[in-house]
Amino acid sequence: GTNVTMMNPLKYRCLIGLALALYHSAESFGLQTRRTCRPSTAFFENVLPVATSVDSFSSYSQGNPTQELAYKDVVIGSGEVASMGKVLTVAYKGRLLSNGKQFDEGKGFSFRLGEGRVIPGWEKGLEGMKVGGQRVLRIPPSLAYADRGARDVIPPGAHLEFDCELKAVANNPVEEMVAQINIQPERIITFALLLILLAVSPSLPPLTMPF
């Protein structure tokens, strides 16, 4: 029969591992684009304009129909400042203010502030933070998901609360590109190690498969 030369077994396993890692990152990126804090831009056409003032955090009332955004700084950061047009990386936990039920969490979600890719409460509430800072946002329905809600996790008219930590502010186009791809540092390390393994793997006799 005809013999078909197969690749080095170690390299074959490394390539499979690399493919799985890339798939995992691609899938994670897909999930990031569907985060509940990121409805499509078209959604905001039916949301009230962003308020121009910030209410007191302690006096926030879910029963107030004109309630506006409120926030409390838990930790004041010391790094770069989050400003419009900058690409931010934010770790967060989101919960319903009514019962404290958590509906979303992210360890490092990146987006450009001011592009409308996140809810208006984030656009307004994160501006002015410094890297390393931690802030709690309380967001009324008018600056979140209004009367539509989001899928089956956020009911219509829900007030939301987010614990946010500003992890990074991109300072150049390369940092912006890497941040918006949402590849976590540990995955980059994994890719690098796999590539090194492929480069230094010993030359073993090739496998053959008769047909």
Side-chain angles (χ1 to χ4, degrees):
T2 302
N3 287 343
V4 177
T5 301
M6 305 295 288
M7 71 173 63
N8 181 301
L10 180 58
K11 289 188 176 182
Y12 180 73
R13 289 194 293 270
C14 289
L15 282 174
I16 291 177
L18 180 59
L20 289 174
L22 287 170
Y23 174 80
H24 177 67
S25 287
E27 180 65 16
S28 296
F29 177 67
L31 289 174
Q32 287 281 11
T33 62
R34 296 191 294 274
R35 286 288 185 189
T36 55
C37 64
R38 289 188 57 193
S40 66
T41 305
F43 172 84
F44 296 121
E45 295 175 358
N46 296 316
V47 176
L48 296 177
V50 177
T52 56
S53 62
V54 177
D55 284 358
S56 170
F57 188 85
S58 60
S59 63
Y60 189 98
S61 173
Q62 297 182 68
N64 181 0
T66 61
Q67 177 64 56
E68 297 180 355
L69 171 73
Y71 67 79
K72 175 177 66 175
D73 283 310
V74 179
V75 175
I76 303 296
S78 57
E80 294 285 331
V81 178
S83 57
M84 288 296 170
K86 291 285 188 177
V87 173
L88 315 182
T89 298
V90 180
Y92 69 93
K93 290 182 179 179
R95 56 186 170 269
L96 301 176
L97 192 55
S98 59
N99 58 15
K101 181 179 179 181
Q102 183 173 312
F103 58 81
D104 198 9
E105 180 177 3
K107 294 183 179 180
F109 171 62
S110 300
F111 65 99
R112 189 181 300 278
L113 194 65
E115 278 191 344
R117 296 178 59 206
V118 295
I119 57 176
W122 268 40
E123 294 277 17
K124 181 175 176 61
L126 297 178
E127 187 176 13
M129 286 187 70
K130 295 182 178 180
V131 172
Q134 297 176 22
R135 178 175 289 182
V136 182
L137 306 178
R138 287 183 175 175
I139 304 175
S142 61
L143 300 179
Y145 297 91
D147 294 328
R148 290 188 179 183
R151 301 189 301 216
D152 58 347
V153 293
I154 301 178
H159 292 252
L160 309 180
E161 185 170 74
F162 286 92
D163 295 328
C164 299
E165 179 181 359
L166 184 58
K167 307 291 286 187
V169 175
N171 289 313
N172 57 64
V174 174
E175 288 184 2
E176 291 181 355
M177 179 183 67
V178 172
Q180 291 187 96
I181 292 175
N182 284 293
I183 295 180
Q184 302 303 315
E186 58 269 21
R187 290 181 188 155
I188 295 176
I189 294 173
T190 301
F191 298 158
L193 289 175
L194 286 169
L195 290 174
I196 291 172
L197 282 174
L198 287 171
V200 303
S201 59
S203 298
L204 299 177
L207 294 177
T208 59
M209 183 178 295
F211 281 87

